[in-house]
Amino acid sequence: MRKDPVERLLRGLYSAVLYLLLPITVYHLVWRGFRVREYFRRWDERYASYPPADGRTYVWLHAVSVGEVNAAASLVNTLRAQRPDLRWVITTITPTGSQRVRALWGEAVDHVYLPYDVPGAVNRFLGHFKPNLALILETELWPNMLFGCRDRGIPVYILNARLSARSLKGYRLLRALVGRALRTVTCVAAQSQEDAQRFVELGARPDQVLALGNLKFDMHPPDPAPMLAGFAQHVAAGRPVWIAASTHEGEEQAVVDMQAALLQRHPQALLLWAPRHPERFARVEALVREQGWRVATRKLQQWPQADTQVFVIDTLGELMGFYACAQVAFVGGSLQPIGGHNLLEPAAMGTAAVTGPHLHNFSEISRRMNEAGALRICADAAEVGQAVELLLGNDVLREQMIANGRALVANGRGALERTAALILPRLPPAAH
């Protein structure tokens, strides 16, 4: 097949820029390492340097971080149950995503960080693992990796694919290249018709794109009973409890202000606080101690004490359980233009959800929850605080929101079955 000269030119320019930026990746890893020590480790994987390969082939799944790993978990488990003979390699970009992979599957799957999208690293990665199928979660569109898969005859499926209007605008400078890379993909399985249309606008062919729904609806939430039992032993029944979940640096003072206002009117109010990134755990603890509040942490005290006013959840993988312990949840990443975080998790755990206005990463879910009466979308931090206080004090309104949220999650299921049906026939044949 004749090479596309425009593709060659665009790939060459893109790759040359990335090679020029490679020294900056070292600076980035060092800078992140001072905040999260895990970034100092496993640099060889970031540049696709591995021990000698054993010649096995893999099914490859890429999930950038914790949210994407969680979204993929049920699908991976379903496919592994159907085909236990297959070997999997799962890639992430963040250390928290890496930790989640190991928490879910231990050593049952291989795991490395995804290398940088330069041709040499891409070729080493694909040559080492020899994937016979590539499954990429959500919006990870790395042109050299997609072209590399095409050149090696590896079918690529972009699953649970989402593309916000904002992200579509962000691709405008690379649209000619990314559009060509998208057209090498076997299928884009989008979360919604709106996402599907935006992928077509970015360059995918209409016949490549399906709208199969959102895998996050098919998550299997943990049994809350053990967490609720431990919590009930330490926190008096009837005490107002709210949780600030997945908050970012620019939202922390707002959470402090909300709790301060609540304590004036509800002296027994307890805030459970789960910052989004582990590097913020100590800073958040210090921030609330500066207020003179009584503070406990998950690592040191395990549970809130009778006089605890703020309980910092400084562990990973326990947020869902703590959602079940709270009556109201503020989901962060939404008071700043970050785009929000998973709003279905509190709904699935039976917690009324409140959020700020910046929800471009969860536009479809937030719209559906809002229309179903399962979510309060607030214009700013002051309005979030008012909504939290209202819901803590209004049992009827809160329970109706909780019922609406549970119903929405239950009715939204089905993407897992449809996605598994799409992928199962494309798994490599069993060895004889």
Side-chain angles (χ1 to χ4, degrees):
M1 184 175 68
R2 190 169 63 88
K3 292 284 188 180
D4 176 359
V6 177
E7 177 195 311
R8 293 181 63 182
L9 174 63
L10 293 173
R11 286 181 69 181
L13 291 172
Y14 169 76
S15 299
V17 170
L18 289 188
Y19 274 121
L20 289 172
L21 293 175
L22 271 182
I24 297 176
T25 65
V26 176
Y27 168 80
H28 171 76
L29 290 172
V30 171
W31 178 76
R32 293 302 302 267
F34 283 119
R35 306 177 72 186
V36 182
R37 305 298 291 180
E38 282 299 316
Y39 277 98
F40 281 132
R41 302 182 178 95
R42 297 164 56 192
W43 283 16
D44 52 346
E45 296 173 13
R46 307 273 187 185
Y47 301 94
S49 175
Y50 310 110
D54 58 13
R56 290 184 296 179
T57 60
Y58 291 80
V59 173
W60 166 41
L61 180 136
H62 175 60
V64 61
S65 193
V66 175
E68 292 78 11
V69 173
N70 286 338
S74 295
L75 177 64
V76 171
N77 291 338
T78 298
L79 298 177
R80 291 184 68 229
Q82 292 285 328
R83 292 292 306 278
D85 57 301
L86 295 177
R87 188 70 182 174
W88 288 75
V89 58
I90 298 179
T91 57
T92 66
I93 288 177
T94 67
T96 50
S98 174
Q99 291 167 15
R100 188 61 181 150
V101 169
R102 286 302 179 214
L104 286 169
W105 297 293
E107 299 299 321
V109 303
D110 284 27
H111 164 65
V112 295
Y113 288 126
L114 185 75
Y116 294 113
D117 196 40
V118 293
V122 167
N123 287 331
R124 288 192 296 274
F125 171 81
L126 296 176
H128 182 87
F129 290 103
K130 297 181 172 62
N132 39 39
L133 180 64
L135 309 176
I136 298 174
L137 265 289
E138 300 205 357
T139 323
E140 286 288 283
L141 305 178
W142 295 106
N144 279 327
M145 188 62 78
L146 295 179
F147 286 124
C149 287
R150 178 204 61 188
D151 295 343
R152 291 172 180 260
I154 303 165
V156 176
Y157 288 76
I158 302 176
L159 304 180
N160 215 42
R162 64 176 173 87
L163 187 64
S164 68
R166 176 176 175 155
S167 295
L168 179 61
K169 290 179 182 177
Y171 277 114
R172 62 186 180 274
L173 292 178
L174 291 174
R175 185 172 296 194
L177 177 64
V178 173
R180 283 175 166 78
L182 262 181
R183 290 191 286 276
T184 71
V185 169
T186 303
C187 182
V188 178
Q191 294 182 12
S192 69
Q193 290 291 350
E194 291 80 4
D195 290 301
Q197 180 57 40
R198 284 192 281 266
F199 273 100
V200 172
E201 291 178 34
L202 186 57
R205 299 188 312 273
D207 63 292
Q208 289 177 284
V209 182
L210 300 171
L212 297 186
N214 194 327
L215 287 171
K216 289 184 169 72
F217 281 98
D218 290 278
M219 62 185 164
H220 293 291
D223 178 7
M227 185 73 80
L228 286 171
F231 194 78
Q233 291 178 5
H234 296 84
V235 177
R239 187 174 179 189
V241 181
W242 70 292
I243 183 169
S246 299
T247 58
H248 290 253
E249 181 175 355
E251 300 172 316
E252 291 164 0
Q253 187 58 52
V255 174
V256 167
D257 294 342
M258 291 179 213
Q259 177 66 354
L262 272 173
L263 287 172
Q264 288 181 2
R265 290 179 284 275
H266 305 278
Q268 294 301 308
L270 171 61
L271 165 61
L272 314 178
W273 194 343
R276 178 68 176 178
H277 298 116
E279 61 264 32
R280 302 303 301 170
F281 291 164
R283 177 65 191 119
V284 163
E285 181 185 352
L287 182 63
V288 292
R289 289 192 186 280
E290 289 170 5
Q291 314 306 310
W293 292 336
R294 293 178 290 280
V295 182
T297 71
R298 180 62 168 162
K299 281 184 179 177
L300 291 181
Q301 286 81 23
Q302 293 293 303
W303 298 104
Q305 307 304 302
D307 63 346
T308 299
Q309 294 168 302
V310 179
F311 181 71
V312 179
I313 303 166
D314 53 353
T315 55
L316 298 175
E318 295 190 301
L319 177 58
M320 293 278 279
F322 277 109
Y323 270 136
C325 298
Q327 293 129 33
V328 182
F330 161 62
V331 182
S334 59
L335 288 176
Q336 305 237 315
I338 292 163
H341 293 297
N342 193 341
L343 297 162
L344 293 175
E345 291 181 348
M349 300 306 289
T351 309
V354 177
T355 181
H358 298 287
L359 298 168
H360 52 265
N361 289 335
F362 290 85
S363 56
E364 173 71 9
I365 287 176
S366 61
R367 180 188 63 79
R368 291 175 63 178
M369 290 183 69
N370 188 46
E371 290 175 354
L375 177 68
R376 285 291 184 99
I377 301 175
C378 303
D380 53 31
E383 194 173 317
V384 168
Q386 293 166 8
V388 169
E389 183 173 5
L390 171 65
L391 290 169
L392 285 174
N394 191 325
D395 294 349
V396 174
L397 179 59
R398 187 177 68 248
E399 290 302 322
Q400 186 59 59
M401 281 187 67
I402 290 170
N404 293 342
R406 288 190 188 277
L408 182 77
V409 172
N411 293 334
R413 297 186 190 280
L416 172 60
E417 181 179 353
R418 292 187 287 271
T419 305
L422 175 72
I423 298 301
L424 274 169
R426 297 309 301 261
L427 293 175
H432 295 290

